[in-house]
Amino acid sequence: MIVMKFGGSSVANAERIKNVASIVSAYSAEKPLVVLSAMGDTTDHLLEAADLAVKGTVDIEKVEKLHFDTAKELGVEIPAIKSLLDELKTLLTGISMLHELSKRSRDYLVSFGERMSVRLMASYLEKQGVPAKFYDAWDVGFISDSNFMNAELLEETWENIPLCLKDYVSGAQKEIPVVTGFIAKDKNGVITTLGRGGSDLSATMLGAALNVKEIQTWKDVDGILTADPRVVSEAKTVPEVTYEEAQELAMFGAQVLHPRSMIPCRKTGTPVRVKNSYCIKSEGSVIVERHTGSVPRVTAITSVKGVTIIDIQSSRMLGAAGFLAHIFNQFLKWNISIDVIATSEVSVSLTVKTEKDLSGLIADLENVADVNLKKNKAIITIICDAAHSSSILSDAFSALAKENINVEMISQGASKVNVSFLVDESNTNRVVQILHSALFN
């Protein structure tokens, strides 16, 4: 048994849905469970409709047209979608009367995208002669807390999923389950969404709870690559990465699974394979607990633009206990996350996303230290085996020195698979290209 997860771009229109159906059909002997996101820009269109409703106008034309046109092109009739659209209109009418959109209502609203997506896919698979049955996430046991817009799945979900899908697991049910990603219900039966990486989390939770052979997440690239192919044309597929390496890649800009979605599969050791929906014969990349062969010196290079360096220095705090605690408490107070950090006894350099409003934080920090901001920076991260960090850094800095590029800050993570440094944002792509050439060629 396998889990196959397809994102919004994979089911964006009738042509893409037909492609996904052909992939699912090709893997039917593997006993798949399919997890889907909403079609294309549906979630954005739903939120646009909500904004209009708050102002007093009910309009679902974009959502309605996309799904009706797609159903027509696929040659399927789906009364359930008409029913869902009527329900959506009723919800938006209520929002328009209240002129308010609560987090709870927002979760209910965006759930319509995934719910319509699975109904379209199941109907089309049936038309193609592939037995299929759609499920909303709560039908297969997904129970969350009530933290709307960013809910967490409850422990009982682990027990619910095998019970709800026991007929498919045993072979008594022949229809392939097509399940909504991203959504769940709390114990009161209220719809919730799982926040960032929610559809990936749905897929890994299903796979881990059922102890499947592997979880497949289908994208439009050939697995995990050594660099962004839009930046480095000669980027290569990485055959195998560990969960830890994949988490670091995702944290520092690569389009891999969201780190929180890897928690269930790490718990059970279930492998995750990143596949290319445009080339189904390709093996892609597999994410595992630990490398099955030799550990590569360098796995990949990623970048994150739009970064600000905050340099904090205070000789007044020399030898004083609690300097770092005081610094970090200010970030906690202003709810600002730190990405990369380097520190000495009386100075700290760290990075944050540039779009954050830093005025309050800086004012508080200046009460105990001198603060200097450097904007328009980028984080370059080398995912590697830190046992070879000296040779890796030697090759990297030699290559950068030849091109007269200066590094402003460096940090080696406690994970031992990550070395990050800061450069001017204008040099980002050039630095990635230089490093890829030096470390892979």
Side-chain angles (χ1 to χ4, degrees):
M1 189 180 300
I2 61 174
V3 170
M4 308 176 75
K5 180 261 174 179
F6 297 90
S9 62
S10 294
V11 290
N13 52 44
E15 181 183 355
R16 300 299 294 139
I17 288 174
K18 289 177 182 178
N19 183 60
V20 168
S22 69
I23 294 171
V24 173
S25 178
Y27 279 84
S28 57
E30 298 272 0
K31 207 170 180 179
L33 292 95
V34 179
V35 177
L36 298 183
S37 297
M39 288 183 66
D41 296 326
T42 299
T43 301
D44 289 338
H45 293 332
L46 287 167
L47 292 172
E48 286 174 19
D51 289 339
L52 286 172
V54 169
K55 297 172 184 175
T57 301
V58 175
D59 181 2
I60 63 167
E61 182 182 356
K62 287 183 180 179
V63 176
E64 190 173 61
K65 179 174 171 50
L66 173 63
H67 290 83
F68 281 166
D69 287 355
T70 302
K72 183 178 180 180
E73 192 172 340
L74 293 174
V76 295
E77 292 185 12
I78 311 170
I81 286 185
K82 174 66 166 62
S83 176
L84 283 174
L85 289 168
D86 289 342
E87 186 182 340
L88 173 60
K89 277 185 181 177
T90 301
L91 171 61
L92 290 169
T93 300
I95 292 170
S96 70
M97 294 173 69
L98 292 172
H99 298 288
E100 180 183 6
L101 180 68
S102 66
K103 288 185 177 181
R104 173 173 168 165
S105 296
R106 185 187 185 280
D107 278 5
Y108 180 18
L109 174 86
V110 299
S111 75
F112 285 92
E114 276 72 17
R115 291 156 72 192
M116 290 189 287
S117 177
V118 297
R119 285 156 174 79
L120 272 172
M121 180 60 72
S123 295
Y124 184 69
L125 283 169
E126 284 279 350
K127 186 189 176 204
Q128 298 303 111
V130 181
K133 182 179 180 181
F134 70 80
Y135 290 88
D136 294 322
W138 43 88
D139 297 327
V140 295
F142 278 70
I143 303 293
S144 75
D145 58 23
S146 301
N147 184 22
F148 298 107
M149 294 176 59
N150 194 31
E152 293 289 347
L153 295 173
L154 300 183
E155 193 67 22
E156 60 205 72
T157 303
W158 285 92
E159 299 172 1
N160 292 345
I161 290 172
L163 288 174
C164 293
L165 290 169
K166 63 181 186 298
D167 287 345
Y168 187 65
V169 173
S170 69
Q173 175 184 322
K174 301 304 180 186
E175 298 93 347
I176 294 171
V178 183
V179 185
T180 56
F182 185 58
I183 60 177
K185 276 186 176 179
D186 67 11
K187 287 191 171 184
N188 298 315
V190 179
I191 294 174
T192 61
T193 61
L194 303 178
R196 289 188 63 195
S199 289
D200 286 335
L201 177 59
S202 301
T204 56
M205 187 69 231
L206 269 174
L210 294 171
N211 196 26
V212 301
K213 183 176 78 172
E214 70 178 23
I215 300 155
Q216 298 176 350
T217 177
W218 290 78
K219 299 182 178 292
D220 57 2
V221 293
D222 211 4
I224 298 169
L225 302 179
T226 52
D228 186 336
R230 295 167 298 184
V231 176
V232 180
S233 58
E234 63 270 26
K236 305 174 182 67
T237 300
V238 181
E240 180 183 80
V241 301
T242 65
Y243 293 123
E244 188 174 27
E245 288 169 339
Q247 284 180 320
E248 294 290 331
L249 280 164
M251 290 296 291
F252 289 98
Q255 298 277 324
V256 194
L257 277 73
H258 191 275
R260 71 193 285 256
S261 70
M262 294 185 211
I263 295 171
C265 50
R266 291 199 73 169
K267 187 174 180 179
T268 58
T270 309
V272 180
R273 190 176 295 275
V274 183
K275 297 272 286 178
N276 185 352
S277 59
Y278 291 95
C279 183
I280 68 173
K281 291 182 180 179
S282 171
E283 289 295 311
S285 305
V286 65
I287 307 171
V288 291
E289 184 61 46
R290 56 182 59 86
H291 284 288
T292 56
S294 59
V295 180
R297 190 176 77 126
V298 178
T299 298
I301 301 166
T302 68
S303 63
V304 178
K305 296 180 181 180
V307 173
T308 294
I309 300 175
I310 304 178
D311 290 327
I312 305 164
Q313 187 167 11
S314 179
S315 56
R316 289 172 284 167
M317 298 292 286
L318 180 62
F323 173 53
L324 287 177
H326 179 82
I327 297 298
F328 293 142
N329 279 337
Q330 306 314 310
F331 283 85
L332 176 63
K333 172 184 173 181
W334 292 99
N335 192 31
I336 294 174
S337 298
I338 298 168
D339 293 318
V340 174
I341 184 169
T343 182
S344 66
E345 187 171 8
V346 294
S347 65
V348 181
S349 293
L350 41 80
T351 69
V352 298
K353 299 293 188 296
T354 299
E355 70 267 14
K356 291 282 188 179
D357 180 7
L358 303 177
S359 55
L361 169 69
I362 300 305
D364 283 349
L365 291 173
E366 286 177 337
N367 289 329
V368 295
D370 296 323
V371 182
N372 182 41
L373 268 62
K374 300 174 184 174
K375 296 187 177 182
N376 301 317
K377 304 300 176 183
I379 302 171
I380 308 296
T381 299
I382 303 172
I383 304 300
C384 59
D385 178 6
H388 301 286
S389 60
S390 294
S391 67
I392 292 166
L393 289 173
S394 174
D395 291 346
F397 283 104
S398 293
L400 293 176
K402 288 179 182 177
E403 300 295 330
N404 295 316
I405 293 176
N406 291 317
V407 170
E408 297 193 39
M409 173 181 162
I410 184 168
S411 175
Q412 183 169 325
S415 66
K416 304 306 179 190
V417 298
N418 164 352
V419 176
S420 295
F421 49 85
L422 276 290
V423 298
D424 283 333
E425 188 175 77
S426 59
N427 285 328
T428 306
N429 290 355
R430 185 170 165 231
V431 168
V432 172
Q433 291 161 357
I434 291 167
L435 292 178
H436 194 276
S437 178
L439 298 174
F440 286 102
N441 298 334

